[in-house]
Amino acid sequence: MKYLGVDPGGRRFGLAFGDDAIALVIPLGVYPYQGLETTAAQVRTEALNREVDLIVLGLPTSENGEETPACRRTHARAEALTAVGSGVALQPEFLSTHAARDRARDLGRPRSAPIDDLAAQVILEDYLARSVSTATEK
């Protein structure tokens, strides 16, 4: 299957592409948030262009896994993507930004550079790891 990971931020969002056939997740880029419908259309277009089977949205949960007020925005984005015909899964993303900052530093990115694409990569990797472990347990 092919996946599109999304780190849904307030001012911008990051995308990452994953393919479980080759066990690879790559960051794609950071894009400005331009409203719910426009952003959903952008994400959907990217998913169609890459023949993605599932869009994985980061869900900004708290440390103990409970939903935060920011989760409402993610649920609204999931509904908008579903409305335009995309399959959507939510992935809890506590500490994904921290992991993305570590990756950015390791890659030599300037501290001022956005890291939303790397956070999307972390979110998608976590989703795929969870999916594999769940499938293994069955």
Side-chain angles (χ1 to χ4, degrees):
M1 276 182 70
K2 295 179 182 177
Y3 302 87
L4 189 66
V6 182
D7 175 41
R11 293 178 302 181
R12 59 185 175 262
F13 63 96
L15 297 179
F17 174 74
D19 187 336
D20 62 3
I22 56 174
L24 181 67
V25 177
I26 57 170
L28 294 176
V30 177
Y31 307 88
Y33 179 72
Q34 299 176 13
L36 190 59
E37 290 80 21
T38 301
T39 299
Q42 281 181 288
V43 172
R44 174 72 173 153
T45 298
E46 189 67 38
L48 290 171
N49 289 342
R50 295 185 180 276
E51 299 176 347
V52 164
D53 301 297
L54 185 66
I55 297 171
V56 179
L57 282 172
L59 186 66
T61 56
S62 66
E63 180 179 359
N64 60 4
E66 293 179 9
E67 292 197 9
T68 65
C71 289
R72 269 184 298 217
R73 182 175 59 217
T74 300
H75 286 294
R77 290 176 183 178
E79 289 174 19
L81 286 166
T82 301
V84 294
S86 295
V88 177
L90 298 175
Q91 171 63 33
E93 63 155 313
F94 181 72
L95 292 179
S96 65
T97 300
H98 179 71
R101 281 192 192 110
D102 288 345
R103 288 183 187 196
R105 185 183 61 246
D106 293 345
L107 292 169
R109 281 195 188 179
R111 290 179 59 97
S112 60
I115 58 168
D116 307 76
D117 57 336
L118 297 176
Q121 182 183 33
V122 170
I123 290 164
L124 187 49
E125 287 171 349
D126 289 348
Y127 176 82
L128 294 173
R130 186 185 75 181
S131 296
V132 168
S133 70
T134 302
T136 306
E137 292 171 4
K138 289 182 180 178

